[in-house]
């Protein structure tokens, strides 16, 4: 069953008199449990495509369906709630809440979902253990390395038990060791817990580990192959 | 956790938060001290004038206030005296007879004077007349003498035991002339009253002026002087008002209130400017804070935090910061206001003379009225919360993608 499906999806930006087709009539389907990377040069439309799939941006035309729900039709507050319940996000710049500890960052999203304190605490511990940060759970982001922060971001993305995780260039700011560690964790979560991951990247190390590669250029899918 | 985020956010930029907090605290401190001094001075002035002159409220003969003459005195029988005294809102009813006369002594020229016939025990009980006594005793039926205000005694060059000559006009055209021993000299704590007042026993003044069983005022001592208009309506409801008028001190001395209000308006204008300056300071902080946090707001929106919750968190952050400043400013102002409440500033020189011209004691006691703290604390809080609307509006207009791109 498709977790994500786009049909004829386009996003056009106006730049003075000219139009920029950041995403141009893309048809895409992502199945549950996939470990997929969207690749392509800078400015090819990877991030825009991810934003449209994640409901962060509105398409100019076309449809985005997540778990059978046409999210392009949702209102702002419905979209926010949809993201909270169904989508996990990992950003290039980690983007943790600086005033909360690692555990609180992971718990925060569950708090927004209205989960009980006990539930939140035990799942946050479990997730931080899964990403190898049980010893650092009381540290704030500023006390963690980039790799550690990104692992917390992965734990946070999974905390809400999402249908899939969108990761926008998650390794762009990481060194080789941290990248390998992060990919190991995500791959393990994908294999053992069946979590669907969709990356945008031009990092060869991620490309090498991805099981499906979607090559995007000028807003269009140029190739889509499994490896 | 929203509470936790809001609280911790305050301390992300400690220096900036402390500067904002200090500016709120300073503004409030200044506002409280200024208003405490102003209102304390007004209270002092009101109470000085009220105690030394009319009291809070008085029954008078009809039209007496417009033309203060014995011919407009009234008989206490025209009041339901007992019923008024038994009213729960009334502490006491004090009879007075007041007139004007020329005063003379052996050692000076004639001076005009204000004769006040009183029942000394009642005046002492409710207006602390005995505490104003500098030397001698209060006038009574037994000593049959007069008590002079200290300024008047000085002008007449008269001392305790000397004789005061009173030459005046009595009731219904009678002459009112008499010689009285000075039995007491008092400081009335009111410069104008201090220069003119002569106290006599009520019956003695009634005898002197021939206004037997007549009064010019029945002073109402209220249990709570705050709502005099309600008390006035209540008392008038069961008294025949054809022969008498019931007047509050505000009605008798509107010029005093006008003078205070004019002075107060000047103070409020200064405070308005202060609040404006501090308001811009706070707004600067909120502008910077909002600009800095935009990417973070974008992330929070992306991961599913509603705009309402985000706005609440920002609102709480501003409220906490303001409340800290308000608490600091209030606590800083309290000991100073307390000190000067119990040890009023004594004015000297020109200020002293100016206050005396207004008929007030040259003292600046600070007020400890909690409404000053509440009013100005609330103003400061409201200003901050209104300014926090900027962040809230920004959050509601935020596009997460654009915000994160910054």
């Amino acid at each position: 069953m498709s977790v994500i499906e786009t049909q004829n999806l386009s996003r056009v930006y106006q730049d003075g008199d000219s139009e920029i087709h950041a995403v141009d009539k893309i048809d895409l389907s992502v199945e549950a449990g996939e470990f997929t990377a969207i690749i392509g040069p800078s400015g090819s439309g990877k991030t825009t495509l991810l934003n449209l799939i994640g409901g962060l941006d509105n398409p100019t035309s076309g449809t985005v369906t997540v778990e059978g729900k046409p999210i392009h039709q949702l209102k702002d507050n419905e979209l926010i709630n949809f993201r909270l319940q169904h989508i996990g996000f990992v950003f290039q710049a980690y983007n943790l809440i600086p005033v909360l500890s690692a555990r609180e960052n992971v718990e925060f999203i569950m708090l927004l979902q209205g989960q009980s304190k006990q539930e939140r605490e035990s799942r946050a511990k479990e997730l931080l253990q899964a990403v190898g940060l049980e010893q650092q759970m009381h540290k704030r982001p500023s006390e963690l390395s980039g790799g550690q922060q990104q692992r917390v971001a992965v734990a946070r993305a999974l905390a809400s038990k999402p249908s899939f995780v969108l990761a926008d260039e998650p390794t762009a700011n990481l060194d080789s060791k941290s990248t390998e560690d992060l990919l190991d964790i995500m791959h393990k979560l994908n294999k053992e817990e069946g979590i669907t991951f969709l990356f945008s990247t031009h990092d060869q190390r991620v490309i090498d580990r991805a099981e499906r590669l979607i090559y995007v250029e000028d807003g269009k899918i140029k190739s889509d192959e499994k490896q | 956790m929203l509470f936790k985020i809001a609280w911790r956010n305050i301390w992300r930029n400690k220096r900036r938060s402390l500067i904002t907090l200090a500016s709120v605290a300073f503004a409030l401190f200044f506002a409280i001290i200024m208003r405490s001094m102003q209102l304390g001075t007004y209270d002092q002035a009101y109470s000085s004038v009220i105690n030394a002159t009319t009291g809070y409220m008085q029954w008078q003969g009809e039209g007496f206030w417009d033309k203060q003459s014995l011919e407009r005195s009234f008989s206490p029988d025209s009041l339901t005296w007992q019923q008024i005294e038994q009213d729960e809102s009334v502490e006491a009813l004090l009879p007075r007879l007041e007139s004007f006369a020329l005063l003379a002594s052996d050692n000076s020229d004639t001076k005009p004077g204000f004769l006040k016939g009183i029942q000394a025990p009642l005046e002492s009980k409710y207006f602390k007349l005995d505490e104003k006594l500098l030397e001698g005793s209060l006038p009574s039926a037994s000593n049959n003498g007069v008590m002079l205000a200290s300024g008047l005694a000085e002008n007449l060059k008269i001392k305790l035991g000397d004789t005061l000559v009173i030459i005046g006009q009595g009731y219904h055209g009678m002459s009112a002339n008499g010689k009285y021993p000075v039995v007491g000299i008092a400081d009335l704590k009111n410069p104008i009253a201090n220069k003119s007042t002569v106290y006599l026993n009520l019956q003695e003044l009634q005898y002197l002026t021939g206004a037997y069983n007549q009064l010019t005022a029945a002073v109402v001592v209220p249990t709570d002087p705050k709502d005099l208009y309600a008390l006035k309506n209540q008392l008038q409801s069961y008294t025949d008002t054809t022969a008498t008028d019931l007047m509050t001190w505000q009605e008798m001395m509107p010029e005093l209130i006008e003078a205070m209000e004019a002075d107060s308006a000047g103070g409020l204008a200064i405070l308005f400017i202060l609040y404006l300056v501090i308001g811009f300071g706070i707004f600067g902080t909120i502008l910077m804070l909002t600009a800095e946090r935009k990417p973070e707001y974008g992330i929070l929106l992306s991961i599913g935090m509603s705009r309402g919750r985000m706005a609440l968190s920002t609102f709480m952050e501003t409220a906490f910061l303001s409340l800290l400043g308000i608490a600091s400013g209030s606590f800083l102002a309290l000991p100073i206001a307390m000190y000067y409440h119990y040890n009023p500033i004594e004015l000297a020189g020109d200020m002293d003379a100016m206050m005396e011209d207004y008929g007030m004691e040259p003292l600046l006691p600070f007020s400890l009225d909690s409404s000053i703290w509440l009013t100005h604390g609330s103003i400061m809080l409201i200003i901050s919360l209104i300014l926090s609307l900027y962040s809230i509006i920004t959050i509601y207009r935020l596009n997460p993608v654009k915000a994160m791109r910054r």
Side-chain angles (χ1 to χ4, degrees), chain A residues 76 83 89 95 99 104 112, chain B residues 4 8 299 301-302 307:
Chain A
D76 180 64
R83 288 199 294 267
F89 287 93
N95 290 343
V99 294
E104 287 166 339
L112 296 177
Chain B
K4 202 186 271 184
R8 289 183 186 171
I299 294 152
L301 262 183
S302 304
R307 293 180 198 267

Side-chain angles (χ1 to χ4, degrees), chain A residues 56-103:
Chain A
L56 296 175
D57 199 0
N58 297 316
T60 310
S61 62
T63 62
V64 183
T65 309
V66 173
E67 289 203 316
K69 189 154 190 130
I71 65 166
H72 58 281
Q73 291 175 350
L74 297 178
K75 289 178 188 159
D76 180 64
N77 54 345
E78 291 170 336
L79 254 180
I80 292 170
N81 193 46
F82 188 84
R83 288 199 294 267
L84 174 66
Q85 305 297 343
H86 297 275
I87 308 173
F89 287 93
V90 178
F91 303 98
Q92 181 179 335
Y94 329 133
N95 290 343
L96 300 173
I97 301 170
V99 294
L100 297 181
S101 67
R103 198 189 79 190

Side-chain angles (χ1 to χ4, degrees), chain B residues 274-406:
Chain B
L274 176 76
Y275 283 138
L276 205 67
V277 171
I278 299 298
F280 275 110
I282 299 171
F283 189 52
T285 302
I286 289 174
L287 273 177
M288 279 191 281
L289 181 151
T290 308
E292 275 174 20
R293 300 265 175 83
K294 265 191 183 169
E296 211 170 299
Y297 293 148
I299 294 152
L300 291 170
L301 262 183
S302 304
I303 65 172
M305 187 175 189
S306 70
R307 293 180 198 267
R309 275 181 158 161
M310 226 183 297
L312 177 65
S313 172
T314 311
F315 185 77
M316 285 198 305
E317 190 180 329
T318 314
F320 290 156
L321 192 59
S322 311
L323 286 172
L324 279 175
I326 288 165
S328 313
S330 300
F331 282 119
L332 280 174
L334 187 63
I336 293 172
M338 279 178 83
Y339 178 80
Y340 286 112
H341 176 76
Y342 295 110
N343 306 282
I345 297 168
E346 286 181 35
L347 296 175
D350 291 346
M351 287 296 283
D352 181 352
M354 191 189 81
M355 293 288 275
E356 291 213 2
D357 286 345
Y358 277 107
M360 299 168 203
E361 264 192 292
L363 291 176
L364 294 183
F366 283 36
S367 169
L368 291 180
D369 189 343
S370 58
S371 69
I372 298 172
W373 273 256
L374 274 174
T375 308
H376 293 278
S378 306
I379 290 173
M380 218 52 249
L381 186 63
I382 289 166
I383 289 173
S384 309
L385 296 184
I386 288 173
L387 293 174
S388 77
L389 287 176
Y390 175 80
S391 299
I392 292 169
I393 291 167
T394 305
I395 287 168
Y396 274 93
R397 287 181 172 173
L398 199 79
N399 176 313
V401 175
K402 280 184 188 165
M404 283 192 292
R405 211 181 281 149
R406 284 162 64 94

